Amino acid sequence: MVMNLLFIVCYNGKPMCPPLPKLAASEKMQKLSLFFSNLELIEVQQEKVAN
């Protein structure tokens, strides 16, 4: 099994997007920061089953 590191952009503890790779999550956070303050980037680990 491989651990995949993904990030979720959250606003007041509520997820604003699905888990994304770091670059995509950073871009999403930048876009959302125009409309929301107090955004957080939450790191999640997703298990990827190797076939």
Side-chain angles (χ1 to χ4, degrees):
M1 256 187 305
V2 179
M3 293 304 275
N4 220 11
L5 210 53
L6 296 173
F7 296 84
I8 301 174
V9 179
C10 292
Y11 172 68
N12 285 343
K14 295 182 179 133
M16 301 290 282
C17 68
L20 298 167
K22 184 155 191 168
L23 182 62
S26 298
E27 289 172 356
K28 184 80 163 176
M29 190 172 184
Q30 259 189 324
K31 288 177 187 168
L32 288 171
S33 70
L34 298 172
F35 308 101
F36 300 96
S37 58
N38 299 338
L39 289 173
E40 299 176 280
L41 206 53
I42 307 295
E43 187 178 300
V44 291
Q45 287 187 340
Q46 188 177 40
E47 290 181 11
K48 198 175 181 183
V49 179
N51 293 337

